[in-house]
């Protein structure tokens, strides 16, 4: 009996550790109107337009798919918490998010793909931006200026939950 419990606990620990290394992908694509965040193989959240509301979020998990509306007004319940107590709780929570912590979290993301195709609508401004974009392409790539009225941005970033935890706690 003790051996079975030990094996079950070890399997659960291995599953939890493996969950820390599953890639988290975030994609913003304005050409294809694709906006999503995905934990590979587990859950995917897509932002989609909706007819009744402005937008809805579709969450797909194994064996389950559901929608929710983040911009839908919520029914207000009467506040029984004193205003001073609520303000103190909020301050304590947000004091942890210093600019350095936010910067470490942003730096933990890896850019997988980056494209910017831009037309400002003014040919003079486009001509002035052309050398800047050429210089940026020399270093990183993915910057394009056009004179045809196309505007497109694509950003795909990846991180792992362990990277977020490390950057948040500065390990």
């Amino acid at each position: 009996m003790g051996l079975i419990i030990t094996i079950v606990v070890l399997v659960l620990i291995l599953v939890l550790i493996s969950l820390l290394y599953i890639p988290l992908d975030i994609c913003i694509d304005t050409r294809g109107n694709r906006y999503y965040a995905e934990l590979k193989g587990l859950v995917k959240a897509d932002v989609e337009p909706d007819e009744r509301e402005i937008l809805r979020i579709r969450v797909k998990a194994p064996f389950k798919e559901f929608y929710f509306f983040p911009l839908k007004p919520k029914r207000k319940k009467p506040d029984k918490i004193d205003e001073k107590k609520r303000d103190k709780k909020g301050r304590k929570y947000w004091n942890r998010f210093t600019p350095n912590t936010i910067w470490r979290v942003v730096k933990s993301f890896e850019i997988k793909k980056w494209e910017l195709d831009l037309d400002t609508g003014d040919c003079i401004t486009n001509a002035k931006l052309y050398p800047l974009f050429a210089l940026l392409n020399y270093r990183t790539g993915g910057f394009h200026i056009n004179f045809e009225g196309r505007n497109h941005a694509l950003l795909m970033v990846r991180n792992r939950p362990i990277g977020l935890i490390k950057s948040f706690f500065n390990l």
Side-chain angles (χ1 to χ4, degrees), residues 31-139:
R31 183 180 294 155
N33 285 332
R34 296 182 317 156
Y35 310 97
Y36 66 85
E38 174 182 26
L39 269 171
K40 289 283 188 182
L42 287 181
V43 67
K44 183 176 182 179
D46 289 306
V47 177
E48 301 174 340
D50 188 49
E51 296 170 0
R52 292 180 289 139
E53 301 290 328
I54 296 174
L55 62 92
R56 69 179 178 186
I57 296 180
R58 179 178 66 177
V59 178
K60 291 193 309 190
F63 313 113
K64 183 76 173 164
E65 180 175 332
F66 61 92
Y67 298 91
F68 70 92
F69 303 91
L71 301 178
K72 192 173 189 176
K74 297 177 183 172
R75 288 184 266 170
K76 287 195 171 187
K77 295 180 181 176
D79 288 339
K80 294 183 181 178
I81 300 173
D82 190 21
E83 290 292 326
K84 292 178 184 177
K85 289 181 183 177
R86 186 173 6 148
D87 288 342
K88 287 180 183 177
K89 284 182 183 178
R91 277 191 225 124
K92 285 180 187 176
Y93 181 74
W94 287 104
N95 283 343
R96 290 186 279 175
F97 293 107
T98 64
N100 287 337
T101 305
I102 293 169
W103 181 245
R104 282 194 314 266
V105 169
V106 168
K107 280 182 15 181
S108 71
F109 283 88
E110 174 189 357
I111 297 175
K112 298 304 274 180
K113 193 169 187 180
W114 165 253
E115 290 179 12
L116 177 64
D117 194 8
L118 181 68
D119 181 12
T120 62
D122 181 22
C123 62
I124 304 297
T125 307
N126 283 356
K128 289 179 180 178
L129 285 174
Y130 191 83
L132 175 66
F133 277 35
L135 182 66
L136 290 172
N137 274 335
Y138 179 74
R139 192 75 176 136

